[in-house]
């Protein structure tokens, strides 16, 4: 390997969209509640699908769901649900669509209680700081952890839907609560 060679975590392969996501977003701490909500919606939509499928539909989600404006989404009506069921740019699953509306409402309740969704999430982390793991290989990355179990259980208790422990851990990785870039990754 040359000094200037870029090494990435193997899961992003050679797809340019996947590589850009890996290089510029994945594992980088997010403090902005708007972006935290965006990833909450995208990770929930991903349940049962591949992440690249959702990345390819991200702009469709942005357009269909009011630029991820949770205050607007929380007020969506049955008419909006019908509109979204016809929207080709998103996953047209009625349960996932209605859960997005529900999750926007619950997101704001959590914000009200904790001051921000960020404050809520980071209340679970040791010293309220991201966890930096030393991962030697892809097969060493867990699908869930005790922490993702606790957070997803608490979110479920608060009414958040489509957010089990596996989805929660993927979310934690996406928004940089956990950094699971491999130890040889150039973007660690």
């Amino acid at each position: 390997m040359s000094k200037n060679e870029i090494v990435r975590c193997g899961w992003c392969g050679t797809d340019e969209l996947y590589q850009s996501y890996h290089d510029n977003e994945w594992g980088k701490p997010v403090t902005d509640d708007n972006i935290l909500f965006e990833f909450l919606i995208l990770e929930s939509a991903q349940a049962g699908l591949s992440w690249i499928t959702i990345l390819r539909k991200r702009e469709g989600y942005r357009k269909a769901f009011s630029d991820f404006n949770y205050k607007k989404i929380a007020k969506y009506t049955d008419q909006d649900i019908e509109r979204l069921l016809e929207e080709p740019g998103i996953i047209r699953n009625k349960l996932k669509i209605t859960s997005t509306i529900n999750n926007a409402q619950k997101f704001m309740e959590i914000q009200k209680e904790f001051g921000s969704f960020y404050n809520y999430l980071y209340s679970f982390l040791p010293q309220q700081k991201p966890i930096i793991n030393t991962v030697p290989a892809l097969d060493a990355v867990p699908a869930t952890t005790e922490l993702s179990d606790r957070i997803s259980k608490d979110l479920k208790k608060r009414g958040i839907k489509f957010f089990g422990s596996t989805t929660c851990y993927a979310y934690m990785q996406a928004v940089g609560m956990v950094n699971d870039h491999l130890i040889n990754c150039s973007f660690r």
Side-chain angles (χ1 to χ4, degrees), residues 8 27-28 31 40 54-55 63 65 72 85-86 103 107 111 113 117 137 156 168:
R8 293 181 174 92
K28 294 194 177 13
T31 59
L40 182 80
I54 300 304
L55 276 182
K63 181 181 169 197
F65 283 99
K72 288 182 180 179
L85 286 169
E86 299 299 318
N103 289 352
F107 184 89
Q111 282 182 314
E113 182 179 344
F117 195 71
K156 183 177 183 178
C168 184

Side-chain angles (χ1 to χ4, degrees), residues 37-94:
F37 179 74
E38 176 180 347
F39 276 102
L40 182 80
I41 297 316
L42 295 175
E43 291 289 353
S44 297
Q46 189 259 332
L49 302 168
S50 68
W51 182 241
I52 191 64
T53 298
I54 300 304
L55 276 182
R56 288 185 179 130
K57 291 186 175 283
R58 189 177 195 177
E59 291 311 310
Y61 271 88
R62 186 178 312 286
K63 181 181 169 197
F65 283 99
S66 304
D67 200 29
F68 298 109
N69 183 324
Y70 50 85
K71 291 175 184 173
K72 288 182 180 179
I73 296 168
K75 296 177 183 175
Y76 278 10
T77 64
D78 288 343
Q79 273 186 300
D80 291 301
I81 294 169
E82 293 306 315
R83 170 184 61 82
L84 291 165
L85 286 169
E86 299 299 318
E87 177 58 53
I90 66 169
I91 305 301
R92 293 178 287 185
N93 176 307
K94 189 170 186 174

Side-chain angles (χ1 to χ4, degrees), residues 13-27:
T14 58
D15 184 284
E16 287 182 22
L17 181 61
Y18 232 178
Q19 287 181 346
S20 176
Y21 169 70
H22 169 274
D23 299 356
N24 300 304
E25 295 183 87
W26 193 72

Side-chain angles (χ1 to χ4, degrees), residues 120-158:
Y120 164 76
L121 289 174
Y122 274 71
S123 72
F124 288 92
L125 294 176
Q127 292 88 44
Q128 288 74 50
K129 293 185 176 167
I131 297 166
I132 313 296
N133 289 324
T134 51
V135 185
L138 285 178
D139 62 1
V141 179
T144 64
T145 63
E146 180 274 328
L147 184 58
S148 68
D149 293 346
R150 277 194 299 130
I151 295 171
S152 67
K153 185 176 181 181
D154 192 72
L155 285 169
K156 183 177 183 178
K157 185 177 74 175
R158 294 172 182 279

Side-chain angles (χ1 to χ4, degrees), residues 13 18 26 41 54 58 80 106 112 119 128 161 163 165 167 172 184:
Y18 232 178
W26 193 72
I41 297 316
I54 300 304
R58 189 177 195 177
D80 291 301
K106 302 306 178 190
K112 188 174 182 180
N119 289 344
Q128 288 74 50
K161 300 189 182 312
F163 213 76
S165 188
T167 299
M172 291 166 64
N184 67 336

